[in-house]
Amino acid sequence: MGAYLLDWLSLFFRWFHVIAGVAWIGASFYFVWLDMSLQKPPEWKAKKGISGDLWAVHGGGFYEIAKYKLEPESMPKTLHWFKWEAYTTWLTGMAMLIIVYYINATAYLIDPSKVDFGSNVGAISTSLLFLFGSYFIYEVIVRSNVGKNKLAFSVTIFVLMIIATWGSYQLFSDRASFIHVGAILGTIMAGNVFFGIMPAQRALVDCVRRGVKPGPEVADLALMARNRSLMNNYFTLPLIFIMISNHYPMMYSHAHGWLVLVFVGIITATARHYFNEKHLGRSRPKFLVIPAIATILLIIWMRPAPIEPVPVPVIPVASAAETTAPAPTDTPPAVAGEPAAVAPATAAAPSTDTTAAVVPVAASADDAIIKVVQAKCSVCHMAQPTQAGFNAPPAGIIIQTPEDMKTHKAKIVTAVQSGYMPLGNITQLSDEERQQIVAYASGL
């Protein structure tokens, strides 16, 4: 029942996480586009403090949008704030982290082959320290003099994110590693809203309400808010990729998965830069061509090694006459009351080689592989899983017999070869066993 309720909680929070994330990303993209697309206003608007305006048509109507340099002439009665999209996305994301990776830490968070935490508590504590420690370092940097220099700040954050990506792969399971990097990006983005953007907006609104002209302090806050907003803009595409990455084990289960994520981050951020430049009226196709070439190179580099099916030799079976004919012997018949004579071993018993030749090799291969499958795979992939944290077999796939493996052959090869299964390698499937299962299934 516990696993059943967790599935419903996961579904609930995942749904709201997606809704909030779409709203936040949409608002972010829209306002960055809007800010970069504003045109110089006519003189009468400029005298009112408007720094830029824009006309748009959508949904059968015209929209006139104006941005004030600092404050409007008077405070409007209704003022819309954009903050709950960010907060809701982060809160539901943390709920998902707890439900999927903390409550089922053994299955999804921990990889004993990397770090043996000893207990779920140790792994969860390390996860929280890694997440919020990374954010603390970011906040220190953004508030320092480095944060005031756009180039120095960008390079510093880029280097630190590479270190964090590598570090996550040393601590957690491959799947959890990607999610932790995404959680760091999401926490930074939500923190930018809470600690940077919203304080600047509140200070500006407060000045307008009091009828006080905003001073240099408010202007500095506004500049910091704009820089944080731009940082969120570049983080958006890498974060979206990480949000869907759990569906693509070929990415996070790669032998150098952390490096794959670094390249994906560079590719997506560069593509985002192209659109930012385009909104400013600067067409620079190279910022699309470079990511396209990098993506092709990444695909080539990540290609898996070809699968070599296990050959099943055809062993000739002895004829009935050969198997039933008595072996020749010179041993005299036993006499009543006397012990029977023992025949020479070389004459009476068939040779070891002959015995091995009549044993079906395929059957023994089936037995060996199924023994591994039942110990390492069937604990989850059975009608009633015995593995803790599983209420039903993943994807409804049951694997207990060679026939089951033949039915799900394509999925087994992909999932086992990529490292996606077992999830988090919870059953400690060795590399040798993994290769044996892939080769065996490929030959079915």
Side-chain angles (χ1 to χ4, degrees), residues 313-346:
V314 179
I315 304 299
V317 181
S319 65
E322 292 173 330
T323 56
T324 56
T329 176
D330 295 331
T331 306
V335 178
E338 295 182 5
V342 179
T346 56

Side-chain angles (χ1 to χ4, degrees), residues 133-209:
S134 299
Y135 176 73
F136 176 78
I137 293 173
Y138 169 83
E139 197 65 33
V140 168
I141 294 173
V142 78
R143 293 174 182 269
S144 69
N145 290 330
V146 175
K148 297 177 182 178
N149 185 307
K150 185 182 296 185
L151 179 60
F153 176 65
S154 300
V155 172
T156 301
I157 296 303
F158 174 69
V159 172
L160 289 177
M161 286 307 305
I162 292 177
I163 295 173
T165 303
W166 176 85
S168 68
Y169 260 79
Q170 312 312 308
L171 295 172
F172 311 112
S173 70
D174 294 344
R175 177 174 169 174
S177 299
F178 264 46
I179 294 299
H180 274 74
V181 175
I184 291 173
L185 293 179
T187 301
I188 288 175
M189 293 172 69
N192 280 337
V193 174
F194 188 83
F195 294 107
I197 298 173
M198 293 308 299
Q201 292 179 349
R202 291 193 187 96
L204 181 61
V205 170
D206 182 63
C207 288
V208 175
R209 282 178 175 165

